[in-house]
Amino acid sequence: MRLARFGIQSIAGLLAVSLASFSVITLMPADPVTIAIRAWSLPATEETVAALRAEWGLDQPLPVRYLHWLADFLTGDWGRSFRTGEPVLAEFAERLPVSLSLGLAGLALAIVLAIPLGFFSAAHPGGIADRMSRALSIFVQAVPAFWLGLVLLWVLGVRLRWVRPFANDWTAIVLPILLIALHSVAVLSRVYRRDLKETAGQPHFRTALAKGLSERQALWRHGHRGALYALLSAVRSEAGWVIGSTATMEILFGLAGISQFLVQSIAARDQMVLQAYVMVIAIWMLVLNASANLAMRLLDPRLA
Amino acid sequence: MPRLIMLAALAVFLCVGGFWQPHDPDAVDMLARHSGMTAGHLLGTDHLGRDLLSRIMAGGWRTACVILSVGAIGFFFGTLLGTAAAVLGGWRETVVLRFCEFFVMVPTLIVALAAAAIFGLSPLSAGLALGLAGVGPHALLAHALSLRVLGQPFILAARSLGIAPLRMIARHLLPNTLPLMFAYVGNQAGLAAVAYASLAFIGLGADPSKPDWGSMLFEYRVFIFDHPMLMIWPGVALALVTLLLNGFFDNGQA
């Protein structure tokens, strides 16, 4: 029952996003026919314009065009890129693995690092882990990941000569993942710590201490599960931040991901690419949201 | 108090930067390329001999415009929607809350990215997009705060005295929620500055002749080997702005 409700909500959300983005993108001041004629150097005669308009259904009203687009989109026809002339779906399929692995690896690394950091900062308030995570959360708010990346490239690459800046090797994969994870580590470890501290104030936690468990044992056995739940619910909003950082990382490190493709296409006013990009991000948010919900449900038997 | 002075100094620097710079930020001077830090060019010049300090000041004004418009939009619409939802209650409250919860999930940067791709990147378009995308959390906060105030006994007293609803909102509800809302907006302002810099760095539809901190970082990244200070300074300016804003408003909130 709840599953069906969640499914309906997600589909309604996707439809709302697609309708909103379709309307805004169609209202773009640029006319796709003029762009196509210039991009493909077609003769700019009345017949070509009329033929193109009829072929793309531009003479029809907006709702009809939206339904056409939706049907095409669902059947895998995402249109053609003006710039490359290739189908948009193929272009995305080629680049999506790069962006996805950046985002997923960053998020996974953040979760893995946030748990010990949050745990030790809750177990020893004011200790080194606590002060580190507090400093980190102030630091990442003020310093954007792409600038930190530039500074790292300068320090590691130019001063220490450990890596080659802007080279196309393993550092161009590892550094972006670390930088993407850094922001989420700070946020998630604070969430995890706050929930653990809350548990530590509860009567059942004192019972555990009275039973003879050490504070660290009691936190791990009786607090970890609940704190993990809070952490997963924060992961849902962190997913949006992560996908945003993959965009700057792709530009900085020259990785061929979907955001880089969007930036290259947008000079050609490639509307189909932009529309597909918005839809891919919406699906990314939806899938991560659903997985986080699923994991939360597995953690908390009351929800199942 | 020192925080207030620092914030005022920042505001003065950003505002002055919009109207007066030591040099023309776009003036190319091929004889003074990469001059380094001299008396004439305090932070040195870039690869075209443009004065770095002037460019940072001009970019600061554009950043300030974004911060102000994002803050104003979030503050105004967030308070309006959240307060209205809390006061009205019933199905209207549910609709507003659902809408906001949905909007919280939409990644702000991606909305701004799409807007920049369509309308081009300017402080105005970025400010509008980032501001509208940020209305959701503001409205949820305003709603939670208003509910807490509405549960207080003095509201019941005011109600039983028969005070008109609008008067009650203006005299009893808003004075209690607005300071906290304001602190939250200030807290989010640093994020807006970082988001705008990220957009300019990505460079979607940005006007390359206009100095933005983000686009300067993108432009100067290739000089990392020989002139790293070019990419250090704009980042320092950005980090300072964010730190000052966060530090000031965090304190006000606690």
Side-chain angles (χ1 to χ4, degrees), chain A residues 227-240:
Chain A
L228 198 58
Y229 187 85
L231 182 135
L232 281 173
S233 106
V235 162
R236 293 184 299 183
S237 48
E238 207 54 28

Side-chain angles (χ1 to χ4, degrees), chain A residues 11-62:
Chain A
I11 290 174
L14 274 185
L15 282 179
V17 168
S18 71
L19 182 60
S21 55
F22 187 82
S23 330
V24 175
I25 291 171
T26 344
L27 292 176
M28 240 163 119
D31 178 23
V33 173
T34 8
I35 299 164
I37 285 176
R38 208 176 18 182
W40 297 335
S41 9
L42 298 174
T45 57
E46 300 254 323
E47 295 103 83
T48 346
V49 172
L52 276 179
R53 293 192 80 85
E55 194 193 325
W56 289 339
L58 292 181
D59 39 7
Q60 284 160 330
L62 190 66

Side-chain angles (χ1 to χ4, degrees), chain B:
Chain B
M1 203 54 199
R3 285 164 187 267
L4 196 63
I5 295 172
M6 266 153 69
L7 196 72
L10 175 72
V12 168
F13 176 75
L14 291 182
C15 293
V16 166
F19 304 101
W20 177 85
Q21 299 97 13
H23 297 265
D24 180 0
D26 298 323
V28 173
D29 180 4
M30 292 313 267
L31 293 176
R33 297 168 62 210
H34 296 305
S35 75
M37 288 154 88
T38 60
H41 302 281
L42 281 180
L43 297 184
T45 54
D46 68 359
H47 58 298
L48 295 176
R50 295 175 293 190
D51 182 52
L52 191 60
L53 180 63
S54 307
R55 284 175 71 75
I56 287 181
M57 286 174 88
W61 170 245
R62 295 162 67 80
T63 307
C65 290
V66 175
I67 293 178
L68 285 180
S69 50
V70 169
I73 292 171
F75 185 64
F76 179 74
F77 287 103
T79 312
L80 188 72
L81 275 177
T83 311
V87 171
L88 290 173
W91 63 271
R92 283 168 292 203
E93 185 180 13
T94 319
V95 168
V96 171
L97 288 187
R98 276 290 122 75
F99 184 75
C100 292
E101 276 161 13
F102 177 69
F103 238 64
V104 169
M105 296 303 300
V106 176
T108 324
L109 193 69
I110 300 296
V111 175
L113 202 71
I118 297 173
F119 302 108
L121 185 69
S122 69
L124 186 70
S125 69
L128 267 178
L130 287 171
L132 286 178
V135 165
H138 287 100
L140 288 180
L141 180 71
H143 174 257
L145 289 174
S146 306
L147 274 194
R148 209 185 322 160
V149 174
L150 284 177
Q152 303 276 330
F154 70 86
I155 293 286
L156 189 66
R159 232 181 230 152
S160 33
L161 282 173
I163 292 180
L166 276 183
R167 198 179 145 77
M168 189 169 81
I169 293 173
R171 291 289 302 274
H172 298 279
L173 181 56
L174 287 184
N176 284 305
T177 59
L178 284 188
L180 287 171
M181 283 300 294
F182 191 67
Y184 182 68
V185 167
N187 214 341
Q188 299 289 303
L191 284 184
V194 170
Y196 181 61
S198 306
L199 286 175
F201 181 79
I202 292 172
L204 265 180
D207 183 351
S209 67
K210 294 277 191 296
D212 274 314
W213 292 347
S215 51
M216 285 161 76
L217 285 173
F218 183 74
E219 205 180 341
Y220 297 153
R221 78 192 190 294
V222 289
F223 302 113
I224 187 173
F225 296 100
D226 304 323
H227 308 283
M229 289 324 270
L230 275 182
M231 63 98 192
I232 296 289
W233 286 120
V236 167
L238 180 61
L240 269 184
V241 167
T242 324
L243 271 180
L244 276 178
L245 282 172
N246 281 348
F248 181 74
F249 285 102
D250 260 350
N251 194 46
Q253 197 177 24

Side-chain angles (χ1 to χ4, degrees), chain A residues 87-216:
Chain A
V88 174
L89 184 61
E91 298 275 9
F92 268 78
E94 198 179 302
R95 290 171 173 82
L96 205 52
V98 176
S99 305
L100 276 188
S101 48
L102 273 189
L104 283 178
L107 203 54
L109 184 65
I111 294 175
V112 170
L113 291 181
I115 291 175
L117 190 58
F119 185 81
F120 286 111
S121 56
H124 308 283
I128 184 154
D130 193 23
R131 271 180 292 166
M132 237 174 70
S133 80
R134 197 184 303 253
L136 189 66
S137 65
I138 296 172
F139 179 75
V140 294
Q141 270 191 348
V143 178
F146 63 89
W147 186 53
L148 188 61
L150 270 174
V151 174
L152 271 184
L153 280 181
W154 175 54
V155 172
L156 296 181
V158 180
R159 309 249 49 156
L160 300 173
R161 300 192 180 277
W162 289 355
V163 301
R164 279 170 47 224
F166 308 117
N168 198 7
D169 55 10
W170 59 274
T171 53
I173 304 290
V174 174
L175 277 182
I177 292 176
L178 284 177
L179 289 168
I180 290 170
L182 200 62
H183 180 272
S184 306
V185 168
V187 174
L188 295 178
S189 69
R190 293 318 277 179
V191 169
Y192 186 85
R193 177 192 183 274
R194 194 173 55 216
D195 199 88
L196 271 190
K197 291 305 282 179
E198 248 166 51
T199 311
Q202 306 248 331
H204 75 263
F205 183 77
R206 260 180 293 153
T207 314
L209 285 184
K211 229 168 49 176
L213 288 180
S214 75
E215 190 164 355
R216 211 184 279 179

